[in-house]
Amino acid sequence: MSLLVVGLSHRSAPVSVLERAALNADAQVKLLQDTVAAEPASEAAVLATCNRIELYADVDKFHAGVAELSTLLAQHSGVGLEELTPYLYVHYEDRAVHHLFSVACGLDSMVVGEGQILGQIKDSLARAQDLHSAGRLLNDLFQQALRVGKRAHSETGIDRAGQSLVTFGLEQLARGGDVQQWARGKKALVIGAGSMSSLAAATLARAGVAEIVVANRTFDRAERLAEILMEGDDTDVAARAVPMESVPAELTRADVAVSCTGATGLVLTAESVAEAMGGRTPAPSAPGEDGAGAPVGRSGAQREGASGTGLGSEDGCPLDLSAVQGTAGFSVLGEAAVAGMAAADLEQHAAWVDNGTVGGDRRAGGPARPGQTGTLDPAADTDAIAALAATVATVGRIPERRRPEPVEEPQRPEPVLFLLDLAMPRDIDAAVHRLAGVRLVDIESLAEASAGAPMAADVDQVRRIVSDEVAAFGAALRAAHITPTVVALRTMAADVVAGEIARLDGRLPGLDDKHRAEITQTVRRVVDKLLHAPTVRVKQLAAEPGGAGYADALRTLFDLDPETVAAVSRAEDSTTEKDRGPA
């Protein structure tokens, strides 16, 4: 066995790198074709999910295989090899088998124990079979991985260690609360009709949402998914399909939206979500306004400043006025305002003050504005600026003395639109989390939330299952490796027996059929007994770690023709391919 896997996942790479390295269906096909065309690899399969990209191959040289597979991953992902290399992991032979079995059991998933990975492994094998890039090794490996994963879920409580990524995402939207209580009566928009989107729609339906709208680029698939949701016996949800062009309009009605498409660009931008938020409710009036639109409870001086601090116009001011809004004891003319300011900015600030944009009530004796000092003597403030400016000639910069205290962030309103982005690369602009009334959960935030999740006790049992299955698979594979040599040896022995019986016929032409059959049977029994113990023992030895060399020893001892052994192996592969069922 020369099984090699090179890949990256949420455990080895940041989400930003995974997002850029994501492979669409066409890129996966091309990667498989180029891999089997490369010299070190004879078989290949790609396992690409929302949080992992792995390339499996049967190679004849380890170092050349690692270099070739890494290069191919970089070429087809679009991420440069130099940038990608630090995030790649490599597993070889038994370690590669252990890795795939762990993945199949959900031990390597972002949400430990989730079962959706089994469907993704099945899809990966089916793709490799369709392209004829999976030979005997990868077919056996992936089929066994599926069986190990199913065994782990049926014999242990690994399902309790985590849920599907969809369920975990919905729990994060509900801030850890009861998902059914949170979802009950909500209107949901599902963008995409693939496996992940279908799972999301089914999960939402079981959670008790009142309506599900499915949008997809292929409208027929959206319609089919909507029909399946309506036909479900365990749900009572209204479902309908819409074209992708209707997403902006549907977003104004939705309470929760889940997106998982194969798009390479954003499906929902921050601007489109903002427009949807504006379209769902009228723009709220400014706090404290009366029916005529005039602010109530604030002086005319307060209304002058756009920032709400009475600082006047921001034009020409080098300060970030919004950052100091409401800061106690702060004056735009005082030392705190210009502490740390560069000379050029100080000059601009002085010009802004001289232009009188602060407002008439900043004259000495004028009323203090909220957020400013009670003693507002422009002459004193100007003297302070002049004194600070004198230091610029010496040190080139105003010394750091006092900074305005940070402004306390206003409390965000409760979200009215919940967004779950399960796509890789992302479907929803990450900037939407800044929008008031919107809560976004995406792959990156799910990775952070699941990092400290406790693991169930059943995980240890699954790990034992994986270890046992890896040992059994390795033994079976090594034993299978020597089988063509044993078959070739027995074939050679049968040829020797046939040749000696033919010679006997020449020497004893009058030998009757009864005696000839008895002699032939006796010679065959002798040969079989002589070969039985060595061939059984060599299979046992070959199944042990490091036993691959016994096949070579057997071929050397009996001077077996390598082409005869290869012919037996090809015949077995052909028979296995005919007998192999669908993944």
Side-chain angles (χ1 to χ4, degrees):
M1 175 181 64
S2 300
L3 176 65
L4 175 67
V5 56
V6 177
L8 67 161
S9 73
H10 64 100
R11 295 185 182 274
S12 69
V15 172
S16 58
V17 175
L18 280 173
E19 188 175 42
R20 291 169 53 209
L23 300 172
N24 59 32
D26 292 339
Q28 292 177 43
V29 170
K30 191 66 168 63
L31 175 58
L32 284 176
Q33 293 172 335
D34 289 353
T35 302
V36 293
E39 182 179 345
S42 58
E43 302 180 31
V46 173
L47 178 58
T49 72
C50 59
N51 53 23
R52 77 177 61 251
I53 304 161
E54 297 177 343
L55 180 55
Y56 292 77
D58 183 7
V59 298
D60 55 9
K61 298 175 184 176
F62 172 74
H63 293 291
V66 171
E68 187 66 31
L69 266 59
S70 301
T71 301
L72 288 169
L73 273 176
Q75 288 176 351
H76 290 275
S77 68
V79 180
L81 181 60
E82 186 175 335
E83 181 182 357
L84 192 64
T85 298
Y87 304 114
L88 293 177
Y89 47 78
V90 175
H91 299 298
Y92 189 56
E93 295 189 329
D94 284 351
R95 290 302 307 169
V97 177
H98 188 281
H99 175 73
L100 181 59
F101 287 4
S102 297
V103 169
C105 292
L107 292 179
D108 198 60
S109 295
M110 186 178 294
V111 181
V112 174
E114 63 94 10
Q116 189 182 1
I117 187 65
L118 286 174
Q120 294 164 331
I121 291 174
K122 184 176 180 180
D123 293 342
S124 176
L125 175 58
R127 185 183 303 106
Q129 288 175 338
D130 291 342
L131 295 171
H132 304 289
S133 66
R136 181 171 187 173
L137 173 60
L138 292 185
N139 270 293
D140 290 347
L141 174 68
F142 275 67
Q143 294 275 16
Q144 187 62 24
L146 292 171
R147 286 190 283 268
V148 174
K150 292 174 183 177
R151 180 189 169 192
H153 283 279
S154 63
E155 296 182 12
T156 75
I158 188 65
D159 292 331
R160 294 193 298 269
Q163 314 82 11
S164 71
L165 202 59
V166 172
T167 305
F168 189 62
L170 293 177
E171 286 185 352
Q172 294 304 302
L173 286 180
R175 298 185 185 274
D178 183 76
V179 172
Q180 290 191 339
Q181 182 177 353
W182 168 82
R184 188 175 297 116
K186 282 183 166 58
K187 297 177 181 178
L189 171 63
V190 176
I191 305 174
S195 58
M196 183 74 83
S197 298
S198 299
L199 178 60
T203 304
L204 287 167
R206 288 193 297 270
V209 296
E211 179 188 39
I212 296 179
V213 177
V214 183
N216 193 57
R217 297 193 185 282
T218 305
F219 185 70
D220 291 345
R221 295 189 64 182
E223 277 191 318
R224 179 57 186 151
L225 177 54
E227 291 173 1
I228 293 173
L229 294 171
M230 293 283 285
E231 293 168 358
D233 295 331
D234 57 342
T235 63
D236 185 21
V237 63
R240 57 188 175 88
V242 298
M244 286 293 286
E245 296 75 30
S246 300
V247 166
E250 294 296 337
L251 200 60
T252 63
R253 302 177 60 252
D255 301 304
V256 55
V258 180
S259 186
C260 187
T261 72
T264 55
L266 293 175
V267 175
L268 294 179
T269 64
E271 292 77 11
S272 64
V273 175
E275 290 177 5
M277 290 296 292
R280 59 193 298 130
T281 54
S285 3
E289 286 191 0
D290 58 17
V296 177
R298 297 165 67 183
S299 67
Q302 286 176 291
R303 292 197 299 269
E304 287 181 15
S307 65
T309 61
L311 301 180
S313 169
E314 296 186 14
D315 295 340
C317 179
L319 294 177
D320 182 2
L321 297 182
S322 61
V324 298
Q325 180 176 359
T327 303
F330 181 79
S331 168
V332 295
L333 304 181
E335 181 181 350
V338 295
M341 187 179 290
D345 292 336
L346 180 65
E347 183 178 353
Q348 181 184 354
H349 179 66
W352 177 73
V353 172
D354 289 341
N355 287 335
T357 56
V358 179
D361 64 333
R362 282 290 297 157
R363 300 184 183 92
R369 294 179 185 170
Q372 295 178 332
T373 56
T375 304
L376 300 175
D377 185 354
D381 284 333
T382 304
D383 290 343
I385 293 176
L388 289 168
T391 64
V392 174
T394 305
V395 298
R397 187 174 181 84
I398 295 296
E400 298 283 350
R401 294 190 180 179
R402 295 196 305 272
R403 289 288 192 183
E405 295 181 2
V407 181
E408 185 177 349
E409 287 288 333
Q411 186 175 1
R412 289 175 62 90
E414 286 297 316
V416 295
L417 177 60
F418 298 85
L419 302 176
L420 178 58
D421 185 0
L422 299 174
M424 183 66 72
R426 71 181 74 233
D427 278 349
I428 304 175
D429 191 346
V432 305
H433 80 276
R434 301 192 187 99
L435 299 176
V438 177
R439 176 163 169 76
L440 169 66
V441 171
D442 56 16
I443 293 295
E444 191 165 9
S445 58
L446 285 175
E448 294 173 357
S450 64
M455 298 174 67
D458 299 273
V459 169
D460 288 337
Q461 185 179 352
V462 173
R463 286 173 175 161
R464 288 193 292 271
I465 290 176
V466 169
S467 297
D468 293 343
E469 291 284 357
V470 169
F473 184 81
L477 204 61
R478 288 186 289 271
H481 179 69
I482 203 171
T483 298
T485 302
V486 172
V487 172
L489 175 60
R490 290 190 173 276
T491 301
M492 183 191 74
D495 292 341
V496 170
V497 170
E500 291 303 317
I501 295 299
R503 288 180 61 189
L504 183 62
D505 285 341
R507 291 177 181 180
L508 301 173
L511 192 65
D512 60 76
D513 292 343
K514 179 180 178 181
H515 289 90
R516 182 186 297 106
E518 186 63 33
I519 293 171
T520 300
Q521 186 65 24
T522 298
V523 174
R524 285 176 177 169
R525 279 199 300 268
V526 171
V527 172
D528 286 342
K529 286 184 178 181
L530 287 174
L531 291 180
H532 176 72
T535 53
V536 169
R537 185 61 181 147
V538 79
K539 285 184 177 180
Q540 293 172 343
L541 293 172
E544 297 175 0
Y550 286 100
D552 295 333
L554 204 61
R555 287 192 294 269
T556 301
L557 287 171
F558 287 93
D559 195 22
L560 297 176
D561 182 9
E563 181 54 36
T564 302
V565 177
V568 173
S569 182
R570 286 194 296 270
E572 287 188 351
D573 286 346
S574 176
T575 302
T576 303
E577 186 66 32
K578 290 179 181 178
D579 295 340
R580 183 178 294 119

